[in-house]
Amino acid sequence: MKYIIALTIICLTSFSIYSQNITVKVIDSKTGNPVQFASIKTGKYSGVISNEEGYFTIRTEDEKLESLAISCLGYQNKTIDIQKIRDLDFIINLEQAINQLDEVYISNKAPNADSIITKVKSKLAINYSNNLNKYTIFRRATNYIDFKNLEFEIEKASHVKKKNLESANDNLKALSKKIRESNMVQFEDFNGEFYALNKDSSKIVVNKATQLLDSKNDFSIEQIQEKSQNIILKYLDTTKTYKLKSGLFKIEDSLSLKDENSEEENKKEYEVTLLNEETRSFLNRSQFYKNSFLNSLLSFDLYEYTYKDLAYNNNELTHVINFKPKKSKAIYTGQLFISDDTYAITRVDYKYYKNRHGTKVNLKLILGVKYIENLSKGKLIFEKDSSNIYHPKYLKHTTGSYFYVNRDLKFIENSRARNKVSFSFKIEGDNRNKVELLFTANNKLGLQSFEAIKQKKKAPYQQLSRFEKSIWKNEETLEPSKEMKTFNKQN
């Protein structure tokens, strides 16, 4: 972002402890650094989590909410009276939970990582339940795109006047400059209830949804091609029709210059079926079943494990085990955090190992296309319920890719003259997508209750051009980042 407003001004001024919402920062008492992903319980099995900058927001209008219980891996638990938060300037310090491995284990030999993984696998059915669960969720998707190279050029147009051709190419250069200089980021939030029958079937009810973006700078490859085509169409004979590749289009229909406000006037709605499928797929990353993501991380055939450390999580001893690929088809490295008491995995951190990657397509010489998934990393955090079953509390997954498209197009006039305009464009850049899913409550679900849920086809969303804190003021959500809070369409 070009313009950054100090987050402390946004978060720490003009608050009243009696207002509906308070925003608080959690920091390390020794270093002063923000404590990320701390669990803040507002009830026995409800609450939020601190964001990557250490901030969280809670509602205080509930008269029963007298204190907060805060826990985080590597720190001592802390319970604090709501009334005292203002006296602390809305900053909560957490003390590090220091342990000495040789004091916990009498033996001079560290625990065996493979033995611990074996115990984890033997207790999966006891520790986790994937079926018939109802979750109250909040999801945020953040999308970025960075165009490093954009080249547009009309290569041949014999029937277009030289002056018009120069004007068209000047406009194409201006379009390229605008796209490269634009801040292309958007944020999509929604909350609701997610009903999971099993890994293959679920339903979702969306209560509220927002989309934060600058619609004038919302560029996809398809939109860029469309905008560049429209520039060319300005200088062609609008009484004619043209073939573009294999399609036949009329200028006044498919290829006419679009009203800049036409997209704004369209109804703002999400396809609920798509949201359901995306959320279920994301949730499945935190589940254990045959061929699942997490099950693959527990494969002795694919990964090797090293005992790293012993830490405290919610006042419980937790084993920290590193993992890395043993075979070429394994692509992740990271850490598993495992309860010493239940042998449940309570947290997973993962990312691509060294230069490994996901899907890769290189048809640059043949079709002018190259694509490679070069970023995949994430975090899964679990929390135990009243039945000692572990459910996801917070999931984050970030993906990124490099793309290259070099395309030649021809506008062929549908007339005896068959006039042609040859146009080429080259696009190269990176995109990144971060999805976060916060679970604020969970309940067991009966089959009849699941079948009775009616999933709607559409979910309306409110489109915003700048961040508005008041929209989510009465909801349990992920605290927005500084980038999101300072976003506006002029950035």
Side-chain angles (χ1 to χ4, degrees):
M1 296 294 180
K2 294 181 181 177
Y3 307 107
I4 301 298
I5 301 174
L7 190 59
T8 52
I9 295 176
I10 299 173
C11 295
L12 302 181
T13 60
S14 303
F15 279 109
S16 168
I17 200 66
Y18 300 105
S19 66
Q20 288 187 335
N21 285 34
I22 58 170
T23 299
V24 185
K25 186 175 185 179
V26 185
I27 65 172
D28 184 303
S29 62
K30 185 176 181 179
T31 66
N33 294 330
V35 176
Q36 302 177 338
F37 315 118
S39 174
I40 294 88
K41 286 191 174 183
T42 55
K44 194 169 184 181
Y45 304 108
S46 63
V48 295
I49 199 164
S50 62
N51 68 6
E52 293 173 341
E53 296 158 359
Y55 287 93
F56 68 88
T57 294
I58 58 166
R59 296 175 294 166
T60 60
E61 74 273 14
D62 185 356
E63 295 180 357
K64 296 180 180 179
L65 181 60
E66 298 179 350
S67 62
L68 299 178
I70 304 171
S71 61
C72 187
L73 182 71
Y75 291 91
Q76 298 177 18
N77 284 11
K78 187 164 190 173
T79 300
I80 186 166
D81 191 333
I82 289 290
Q83 301 299 323
K84 293 182 179 179
I85 292 179
R86 183 172 184 173
D87 296 337
L88 299 172
D89 292 329
F90 303 98
I91 296 176
I92 296 175
N93 290 272
L94 291 188
E95 301 285 340
Q96 295 181 14
I98 306 298
N99 82 84
Q100 296 295 326
L101 188 59
D102 55 0
E103 292 180 5
V104 178
Y105 289 95
I106 298 175
S107 169
N108 291 327
K109 191 174 182 180
N112 181 270
D114 286 359
S115 296
I116 293 174
I117 296 298
T118 299
K119 290 179 180 179
V120 168
K121 295 172 73 172
S122 70
K123 293 182 177 293
L124 291 178
I126 299 173
N127 286 326
Y128 304 91
S129 175
N130 298 336
N131 302 332
L132 286 172
N133 293 306
K134 173 189 174 182
Y135 296 110
T136 303
I137 63 170
F138 176 84
R139 195 189 83 155
R140 173 170 296 143
T142 309
N143 304 298
Y144 304 86
I145 188 164
D146 179 18
F147 290 101
K148 299 183 180 302
N149 186 19
L150 287 96
E151 298 178 13
F152 308 108
E153 184 179 6
I154 300 176
E155 296 177 335
K156 183 179 180 182
S158 57
H159 65 298
V160 178
K161 293 180 180 179
K162 182 178 180 181
K163 182 179 179 180
N164 288 347
L165 183 60
E166 291 175 350
S167 295
N169 277 324
D170 287 343
N171 287 340
L172 290 172
K173 288 179 182 178
L175 174 64
S176 173
K177 184 174 184 293
K178 179 182 178 182
I179 293 171
R180 284 184 282 107
E181 293 178 352
S182 296
N183 176 38
M184 280 168 281
V185 57
Q186 67 179 50
F187 306 88
E188 299 174 354
D189 289 351
F190 79 81
N191 71 353
E193 286 74 45
F194 183 79
Y195 302 85
L197 175 63
N198 51 45
K199 67 181 180 65
D200 299 314
S201 181
S202 61
K203 296 178 183 179
I204 194 169
V205 174
V206 177
N207 296 329
K208 184 188 292 186
T210 61
Q211 189 176 102
L212 174 61
L213 79 161
D214 181 355
S215 59
K216 301 299 183 184
N217 291 334
D218 182 21
F219 296 113
S220 65
I221 293 177
E222 292 77 14
Q223 289 172 327
I224 291 172
Q225 180 176 323
E226 185 175 347
K227 288 179 182 291
S228 59
Q229 287 170 187
N230 286 340
I231 289 175
I232 297 171
L233 289 170
K234 288 172 61 177
Y235 301 98
L236 300 183
D237 187 343
T238 57
T239 65
K240 302 287 197 309
T241 59
Y242 295 82
K243 281 183 180 179
L244 180 61
K245 288 189 174 181
S246 60
L248 181 65
F249 303 98
K250 290 183 177 180
I251 287 182
E252 63 269 28
D253 292 334
S254 300
L255 294 183
S256 61
L257 289 175
K258 296 178 70 175
D259 182 351
E260 291 294 333
N261 296 319
S262 61
E263 293 183 14
E264 291 293 318
E265 294 169 357
N266 290 338
K267 215 167 183 181
K268 305 293 188 299
E269 292 179 327
Y270 285 123
E271 295 285 345
V272 177
T273 298
L274 181 59
L275 289 183
N276 181 32
E277 291 174 354
E278 291 176 346
T279 304
R280 183 173 69 246
S281 176
F282 194 33
L283 175 63
N284 284 351
R285 296 188 72 83
S286 67
Q287 296 182 335
F288 297 90
Y289 55 85
K290 186 179 180 180
N291 299 325
S292 73
F293 168 72
L294 276 184
N295 252 17
S296 70
L297 297 186
L298 299 179
S299 170
F300 290 114
D301 291 334
L302 297 176
Y303 289 93
E304 60 181 61
Y305 308 93
T306 306
Y307 197 91
K308 171 67 174 177
D309 201 358
L310 194 67
Y312 286 98
N313 185 24
N314 200 16
N315 287 343
E316 292 183 347
L317 286 174
T318 297
H319 302 285
V320 184
I321 294 179
N322 292 347
F323 64 90
K324 67 179 182 179
K326 182 184 291 184
K327 294 185 177 180
S328 59
K329 63 180 180 179
I331 59 177
Y332 288 101
T333 186
Q335 291 186 324
L336 302 169
F337 300 83
I338 299 165
S339 167
D340 180 64
D341 181 34
T342 62
Y343 287 95
I345 294 177
T346 59
R347 173 170 158 175
V348 182
D349 295 342
Y350 62 90
K351 63 181 180 180
Y352 278 150
Y353 178 70
K354 293 185 176 179
N355 294 323
R356 300 195 180 178
H357 55 76
T359 302
K360 182 177 181 179
V361 176
N362 190 355
L363 300 173
K364 197 170 182 178
L365 297 179
I366 302 173
L367 299 177
V369 174
K370 185 175 181 180
Y371 173 85
I372 179 171
E373 294 177 357
N374 52 23
L375 173 65
S376 179
K377 63 180 182 179
K379 187 180 303 291
L380 314 174
I381 298 177
F382 299 86
E383 194 170 79
K384 188 165 53 175
D385 69 8
S386 58
S387 302
N388 293 322
I389 299 296
Y390 288 82
H391 294 275
K393 177 63 181 178
Y394 172 77
L395 311 178
K396 181 177 73 167
H397 184 55
T398 303
T399 57
S401 60
Y402 162 85
F403 58 87
Y404 172 92
V405 179
N406 190 348
R407 184 172 296 171
D408 292 321
L409 300 174
K410 283 187 179 180
F411 293 84
I412 305 173
E413 186 178 287
N414 290 304
S415 66
R416 290 184 178 180
R418 302 283 289 175
N419 292 318
K420 299 178 182 178
V421 174
S422 297
F423 167 64
S424 69
F425 72 90
K426 182 191 296 183
I427 300 176
E428 184 179 19
D430 299 290
N431 61 40
R432 181 162 50 96
N433 169 258
K434 179 173 68 174
V435 180
E436 299 172 275
L437 192 58
L438 173 68
F439 298 79
T440 57
N442 67 77
N443 300 96
K444 202 61 187 169
L445 183 67
L447 181 58
Q448 289 185 335
S449 298
F450 176 82
E451 292 175 343
I453 300 299
K454 303 297 182 184
Q455 179 176 287
K456 295 181 179 180
K457 293 183 178 180
K458 304 282 187 179
Y461 65 85
Q462 184 176 355
Q463 185 166 306
L464 309 171
S465 59
R466 64 179 180 178
F467 175 74
E468 296 180 20
K469 188 178 181 69
S470 61
I471 289 178
W472 294 99
K473 66 180 180 179
N474 295 321
E475 314 287 346
E476 288 187 325
T477 68
L478 288 166
E479 178 66 11
S481 64
K482 182 191 298 184
E483 177 186 37
M484 187 174 181
K485 286 183 175 181
T486 57
F487 178 90
N488 64 68
K489 66 181 181 180
Q490 282 79 37
N491 280 352

